[in-house]
Every structure is written in structure tokens, then in C-alpha cells.
């Protein structure tokens, strides 16, 4: 009877600690969301991100850039904190195997997501900046129209490369994904060549007709 009461007490204490961790994590998550949203607007980061395709895509989703990053950060804190709370709960009830599994999930998937997310954001911004540079290279009189499909092709191609690299950095096996994307990239390349050749032929025929 004493043993059963002791075990029950351990479970009660572990559960109370778990609830406390979840509550504290929720409060921290909300504070992180508020802080990031506020600082993104105060420092001009939101306005700066709107210059890029990624920032405009976030706006079209119905959120400001600050709100988007704030929500992502909040959910990362909530998930990580809850999982760490569960790991603590299992440790307190002497189930170290389950605690180790949960800690592995946090290290591999949660931290992996954070690394992948950072790589994707930075990579997409760099891609947008490069594509914007390509567009600025257009000369008046129709060259920019010709560069538009080229720029969008490069954007999509580099987006795919950044995505694969981010998943690899995040610790996920991207071998299968890479094999799937190879024919997609080749298909996009063929379409790009057809559009480019079609544009060149159209320009030549237009000049011939004018003469």
C-alpha cells in the first residue's frame, strides 16, 4: 500500500510540474510573439521584407511580416516547451526511455525545423534580391518583358535548391525529394527554352514585317 501511494504521489507531482511547464511555456510563447511582432514593426523589418517576393506573399496570406514571424516563433516555443515538459514528466516517473525519445524528437525535428526555417527565409530573400537584380538589368523598350520569364524561372529554380538545402540542414533525408525534383527541373528548363526561343522568333518576325 505504501509503495502504491508513493508511486501515485510521484505521478501527481510529475503532472503538476508538467502543467506548470506548459503554462509558463504558453506565457513565454505569447511574450515572444508580441516582442517579435512589435520589434518587426518598430525597426522597419516588416517594411523591408515587403520589398521581396517572400514578404509580399506573407502579406497576401492576411498577416503582416511581424505577425507571421511572431506566430512561427510562438509555436516553436510552445511545441518545444510542451515536449520538454513531457520529457520531464517521464523522467520523474522513472521512464527514462520515453524521456530520451522525446528529447530526440526535440533535437531532431523541432531544432531541425528552426534551422530549416532560417535557411529558407534567408535563402528566399537572397534569391528575391538576385532576381530583382536581373529585372533591373532590363533596358527600356521591351527587354524587361523578355527577362520576366527568365527571372521567374531562376526564382523557382533557386527556391527549389534552397528548399532542398534547408531540409538537408534540418536533418531530413532529401535523397528521394531530389530524385523527384530532377524531372521537374528538366521540365521547367525545357519550358523556359521554348519560351525564350519563341520570344526571339517573335521579335525577329516582328522586325521583318516592319521592314
Amino acid at each position: 500500500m505504501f509503495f502504491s501511494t508513493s508511486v501515485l504521489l510521484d505521478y501527481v507531482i510529475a503532472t503538476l510540474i508538467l502543467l506548470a511547464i506548459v503554462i509558463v511555456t504558453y506565457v513565454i510563447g505569447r511574450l515572444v510573439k508580441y516582442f517579435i511582432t512589435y520589434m518587426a514593426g518598430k525597426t522597419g523589418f516588416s517594411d523591408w521584407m515587403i520589398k521581396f517576393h517572400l514578404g509580399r506573399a506573407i502579406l497576401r496570406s492576411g498577416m503582416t511580416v511581424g505577425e507571421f514571424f511572431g506566430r512561427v516563433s510562438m509555436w516553436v516555443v510552445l511545441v518545444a516547451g510542451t515536449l520538454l515538459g513531457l520529457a520531464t514528466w517521464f523522467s520523474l516517473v522513472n521512464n527514462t526511455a520515453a524521456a530520451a525519445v522525446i528529447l530526440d524528437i526535440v533535437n531532431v525535428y523541432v531544432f531541425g525545423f528552426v534551422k530549416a526555417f532560417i535557411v529558407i527565409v534567408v535563402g528566399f530573400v537572397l534569391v528575391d534580391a538576385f532576381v530583382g537584380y536581373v529585372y533591373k538589368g532590363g533596358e527600356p523598350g521591351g527587354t524587361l518583358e523578355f527577362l520576366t520569364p527568365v527571372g521567374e524561372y531562376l526564382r523557382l529554380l533557386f527556391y527549389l535548391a534552397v528548399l532542398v538545402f534547408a531540409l538537408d540542414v534540418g536533418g531530413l533525408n532529401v535523397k528521394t525529394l531530389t530524385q523527384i525534383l530532377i524531372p521537374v527541373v528538366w521540365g521547367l528548363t525545357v519550358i523556359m527554352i521554348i519560351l525564350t526561343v519563341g520570344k526571339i522568333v517573335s521579335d525577329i518576325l516582328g522586325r521583318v514585317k516592319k521592314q
Side-chain angles (χ1 to χ4, degrees):
M1 184 67 180
F2 176 77
F3 177 79
S4 299
T5 304
S6 176
V7 171
L8 179 60
L9 183 61
D10 289 341
Y11 275 88
V12 171
I13 293 174
T15 302
L16 291 175
I17 292 175
L18 171 60
L19 291 175
I21 292 175
V22 171
I23 293 172
V24 172
T25 298
Y26 177 78
V27 173
I28 294 175
R30 298 289 295 182
L31 290 174
V32 168
K33 176 188 174 183
Y34 173 79
F35 177 76
I36 292 179
T37 304
Y38 175 78
M39 292 303 296
K42 199 71 174 178
T43 60
F45 176 75
S46 295
D47 296 333
W48 178 75
M49 280 292 295
I50 296 175
K51 298 178 182 178
F52 302 101
H53 189 78
L54 177 62
R56 293 191 292 272
I58 293 174
L59 280 181
R60 286 194 293 270
S61 69
M63 293 182 290
T64 65
V65 174
E67 288 173 345
F68 172 75
F69 285 102
R71 288 187 182 184
V72 171
S73 301
M74 181 187 71
W75 280 107
V76 168
V77 171
L78 290 178
V79 172
T82 302
L83 289 175
L84 290 174
L86 286 173
T88 302
W89 187 89
F90 281 113
S91 296
L92 292 174
V93 298
N94 298 320
N95 192 339
T96 56
V101 170
I102 294 176
L103 290 176
D104 287 339
I105 292 175
V106 174
N107 290 327
V108 174
Y109 293 102
V110 178
F111 290 156
F113 169 79
V114 172
K115 291 187 290 185
F117 181 77
I118 293 174
V119 171
I120 288 174
V121 171
V122 175
F124 280 15
V125 168
L126 292 176
V127 169
D128 289 342
F130 174 73
V131 173
Y133 176 78
V134 172
Y135 284 152
K136 289 180 181 178
E139 298 176 358
T143 307
L144 185 59
E145 180 184 354
F146 167 74
L147 287 176
T148 299
V150 177
E152 293 307 313
Y153 165 75
L154 291 175
R155 188 196 305 276
L156 182 57
L157 192 65
F158 287 139
Y159 273 0
L160 291 174
V162 169
L163 181 60
V164 172
F165 177 68
L167 293 177
D168 185 54
V169 170
L172 298 179
N173 188 355
V174 296
K175 183 178 180 180
T176 303
L177 179 61
T178 303
Q179 292 175 347
I180 294 174
L181 288 178
I182 288 176
V184 175
V185 172
W186 276 110
L188 291 173
T189 303
V190 171
I191 294 173
M192 187 64 242
I193 293 174
I194 293 174
L195 291 175
T196 303
V197 172
K199 176 62 179 176
I200 294 174
V201 171
S202 177
D203 289 344
I204 293 176
L205 291 176
R207 293 175 183 174
V208 170
K209 288 181 180 180
K210 289 179 179 180
Q211 294 177 352

